């Protein structure tokens, strides 16, 4: 059994952690309760019924379940409307769908949070030579870098005074970068400033890993369109695939027409008998996020107590996403750590992790994903681009108990030498 194999000193620190982390865990519980209220209320307001779980095939006409699911996502995210579909196969797909629907030849987009997430680089045309990139379709890209982990307000305001920018993109979570993730209060400050000088620019937020971590979502503070993955927070560890886009009704209409066809928009599309699973996923999402957050806090605490440097965020730092990073310095350490997490996972625990190319990503990746849903990162997982400074990104955990066992077992093996 695993518990017997865990190093005794580690167990002792873990037991102490329950006392030290009590207040932090309580704050996480409070956010979960608050967000659960919003979600249960949305289910009741939308009259979700057993009949909404009916399996629709073919064109999926008149699927009330699909419509109600999208209404619930809109409410949760503080938006007018949403598109939540298994045909949107991931967060990356949702981001590309949004950008390609909203940007036309001659338009300019600006990233306000520095270089965008790795899987966006080729779609924008920052790298690669795809004939389907935004750049190939005549869209210009600019970037304003963060300063001290925060927006460069002056530069952003100055640039947006001229009304020649169609869309700005903000990435809430750090992605594979070493910066801090951007809290909702920072997002709110910059969105307010943007609106003072520019009424028209579309404000888009890549919300991946951020959903339900705070009491508000980007839609509540003025974002026009918000995008994410169902293999992460809002899938609740239950959705088997998918992505979402939520936002202003007119913008969602454009994304829907881009996904299906002009004239069809949101009205068609079979959900492959997954309505029940999507509803259940989003219903369980506050709890999944709560457990993922506690797992991240617990991991940070253990790593700090064991003397690991470069743990971010620190266990007692404010969080706006479920990501925990650990800088490991060498490829060997990175692979070793990932291997230990893989060996302590419920699925494929016997598998060897190795750096390998991943579609859409510029560097080789090494990933521990011993998960029920392939590649799911709301389940306990650890991944990294194999590039200096060899930072490991740890996230997820469906229950704190399972995370504790896995992390302690993994740490035991890492420290064994
Ligand atoms: C994970 C992630 C994405 C992409 O989502 P996938 O479902 O993995 O395609 C985009 N942006 C950020 C910040 C992410 O963390």
């Amino acid at each position: 059994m695993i518990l017997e194999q865990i190093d005794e000193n580690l167990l002792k620190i873990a037991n102490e952690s329950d006392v030290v982390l009590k207040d932090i865990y309580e704050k996480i519980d409070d956010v979960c309760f608050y967000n659960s209220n919003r979600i249960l209320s949305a289910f009741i307001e939308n009259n979700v019924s057993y009949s909404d779980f009916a399996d629709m095939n073919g064109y999926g006409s008149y699927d009330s379940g699909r419509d109600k699911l999208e209404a619930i996502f809109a409410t949760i995210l503080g938006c007018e409307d949403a598109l939540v579909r298994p045909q949107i196969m991931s967060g990356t797909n949702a981001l590309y769908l949004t950008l390609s629907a909203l940007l036309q030849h001659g338009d300019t987009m600006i990233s306000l949070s520095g270089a965008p997430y790795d899987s966006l680089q080729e779609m924008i045309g920052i790298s690669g030579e795809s004939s389907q990139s935004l750049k190939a379709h005549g869209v210009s890209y600019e970037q304003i870098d963060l300063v001290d982990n925060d927006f460069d307000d002056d530069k952003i305001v100055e640039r947006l005074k001229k009304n020649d920018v169609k869309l700005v993109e903000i990435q809430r979570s750090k992605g594979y970068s070493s910066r801090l993730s951007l809290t909702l209060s920072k997002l709110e400050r910059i969105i307010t400033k943007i609106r003072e000088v520019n009424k028209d620019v579309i404000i888009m937020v890549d919300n991946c890993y951020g959903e339900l971590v705070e009491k508000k979502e980007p839609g509540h503070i003025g974002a026009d369109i918000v995008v994410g993955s169902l293999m992460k927070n809002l899938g609740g560890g239950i959705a088997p695939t998918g992505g979402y886009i939520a936002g202003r009704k007119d913008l969602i209409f454009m994304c829907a027409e881009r996904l299906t066809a002009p004239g069809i928009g949101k009205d068609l599309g079979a959900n492959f008998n997954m309505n029940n699973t999507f509803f259940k996923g989003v219903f369980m999402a506050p709890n999944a996020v709560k457990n993922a957050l506690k797992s991240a806090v617990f991991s940070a605490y253990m790593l700090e107590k064991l003397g690991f440097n470069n743990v971010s965020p620190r266990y007692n730092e404010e969080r706006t996403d479920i990501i925990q990073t650990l800088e490991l310095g060498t490829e060997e350490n990175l692979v070793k750590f990932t291997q230990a997490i893989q060996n302590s996972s419920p699925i494929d625990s016997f598998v060897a992790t190795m750096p390998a190319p991943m579609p859409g990503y510029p560097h080789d990746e090494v990933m521990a994903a011993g998960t029920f849903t392939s590649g799911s990162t709301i389940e306990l997982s650890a991944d990294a681009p194999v590039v200096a400074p060899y930072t490991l990104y740890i996230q997820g955990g469906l229950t704190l108990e399972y995370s504790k066992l896995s992390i302690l077992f993994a740490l035991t093996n890492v420290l064994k030498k």
Side-chain angles (χ1 to χ4, degrees), residues 244-413:
Y244 75 82
I245 308 169
R248 259 167 42 197
K249 209 172 181 59
D250 59 323
L251 303 179
I252 294 300
F253 183 81
M254 292 165 77
C255 295
E257 288 208 323
R258 185 78 181 187
L259 174 68
T260 57
I264 294 177
K266 288 183 71 180
D267 291 338
L268 299 181
N271 273 4
F272 309 117
N273 204 15
M274 281 195 277
N275 283 359
N276 180 290
T277 317
F278 286 146
F279 277 119
K280 203 176 184 179
V282 77
F283 188 72
M284 294 305 290
N287 196 64
V289 170
K290 175 182 84 176
N291 281 288
L293 274 171
K294 288 184 182 177
S295 301
V297 170
F298 174 76
S299 304
Y301 180 83
M302 290 302 302
L303 292 167
E304 285 176 48
K305 284 287 158 192
L306 291 171
F308 283 91
N309 295 316
N310 303 322
V311 175
S312 177
R314 314 296 294 191
Y315 79 84
N316 55 2
E317 256 178 319
E318 184 182 14
R319 285 171 194 265
T320 190
D321 64 16
I322 62 169
I323 305 293
Q324 183 61 49
T325 69
L326 170 64
E327 213 177 286
L328 284 165
T330 68
E331 177 172 341
E332 197 194 343
N333 286 343
L334 194 61
V335 174
K336 191 171 142 191
F337 216 106
T338 316
Q339 182 68 59
I341 300 276
Q342 183 74 34
N343 291 146
S344 67
S345 302
I347 314 298
D348 290 332
S349 59
F350 51 89
V351 161
T353 56
M354 287 197 295
M358 186 149 86
Y361 290 77
H363 305 286
D364 278 2
E365 300 277 325
V366 60
M367 180 159 188
T371 51
F372 292 86
T373 293
S374 174
S376 166
T377 46
I378 186 67
E379 301 180 46
L380 184 65
S381 49
D383 52 86
V386 184
V387 62
Y390 303 99
T391 302
L392 186 64
Y393 298 78
I394 306 168
Q395 63 273 314
L398 293 177
T399 78
L400 178 59
E401 292 77 10
Y402 283 130
S403 296
K404 275 187 177 174
L405 286 166
S406 286
I407 288 158
L408 292 172
F409 187 45
L411 284 172
T412 300
N413 287 331

Side-chain angles (χ1 to χ4, degrees), residues 20 55 122 151 178 219 252 305-306 323 391 417:
V20 182
D55 184 11
E122 276 193 68
F151 296 105
S178 54
I252 294 300
K305 284 287 158 192
L306 291 171
I323 305 293
T391 302
K417 178 172 93 82

